[in-house]
Amino acid sequence: METRIVKSEGFTVRGYQVKGPVSGIPAEWDRLIKEINEKDVAVEESFGVCLSMENDIIHYIAGLKEELTEGFPDTKEVVIPAGKFIVAKVEGGIPRIPATYDAIMQMEDIKLRDCYDFERYVHPDGVSDDVIEIWMPIE
C-alpha cells in the first residue's frame, strides 16, 4: 500500500450528510453530483468525511471545499482542523475503501490522533476513474 505523510492547513467541507446506515451514503453522493452538474461547478476534488461511526450507524458528509458550494441547498459543514495525516491510495476503487482503512489502522509505526478521517476523491481531467485516498489523522 502506497502511503505518504501530509501536513494539512485545515479546511471546511460542505455537503450532504448521512446519519444512519452506510447504505445511505450513495444517495447523498448522487445528490451532491446533481448539484455540481446543475450549477456547472468545476470540481477537482471531493470529500467523504466520517464524523463518527458506532456499530452500523455512520455520521458522514459527502461534499466539496466550502467555497465551491455556494447556492447548494440544505448543506451541512465540517471543519477539518490543521494537522498531520497519513494518506493511503485506495487500490481497486470504492469497494476497497474498508480494507484500506483496516490496513492503515493496523500499521504499528503510526499513532492516530482524535480528528476526523476522510476519503479524498481526485478527479483528474481526461481520466475516467477517480483517484481515491484515505486521510487518517496522526500525531
Side-chain angles (χ1 to χ4, degrees):
M1 176 175 66
E2 179 184 321
T3 63
R4 68 186 192 278
I5 304 294
V6 174
K7 185 166 172 74
S8 171
E9 296 302 317
F11 56 95
T12 301
V13 172
R14 182 176 286 277
Y16 298 105
Q17 78 175 343
V18 174
K19 281 187 176 179
V22 172
S23 61
I25 292 174
E28 299 311 319
W29 276 106
D30 290 346
R31 187 174 175 196
L32 179 68
I33 291 165
K34 179 177 179 268
E35 288 298 325
I36 290 168
N37 291 336
E38 284 180 3
K39 302 210 174 8
D40 198 26
V41 177
V43 175
E44 295 177 6
E45 61 186 352
S46 55
F47 301 89
V49 182
C50 181
L51 285 82
S52 67
M53 178 97 177
E54 290 185 35
N55 301 319
D56 292 335
I57 303 300
I58 193 166
H59 185 190
Y60 178 96
I61 293 179
L64 307 173
K65 285 193 174 173
E66 123 185 274
E67 59 269 18
L68 297 175
T69 60
E70 192 170 317
F72 286 31
D74 306 319
T75 56
K76 303 295 181 194
E77 75 175 36
V78 59
V79 175
I80 306 295
K84 282 187 359 183
F85 291 83
I86 185 164
V87 180
K89 186 175 177 187
V90 176
E91 300 294 345
I94 290 172
R96 299 291 302 157
I97 289 173
T100 304
Y101 268 110
D102 289 345
I104 294 169
M105 293 181 38
Q106 291 175 16
M107 295 173 78
E108 293 180 14
D109 56 342
I110 63 163
K111 183 173 184 211
L112 297 176
R113 66 181 166 89
D114 190 24
C115 182
Y116 305 120
D117 58 79
F118 57 91
E119 303 140 23
R120 177 178 177 244
Y121 298 85
V122 183
H123 317 289
D125 279 342
V127 178
S128 59
D129 292 332
D130 293 342
V131 174
I132 306 171
E133 298 175 334
I134 302 298
W135 287 54
M136 294 284 290
I138 60 171
E139 296 289 333

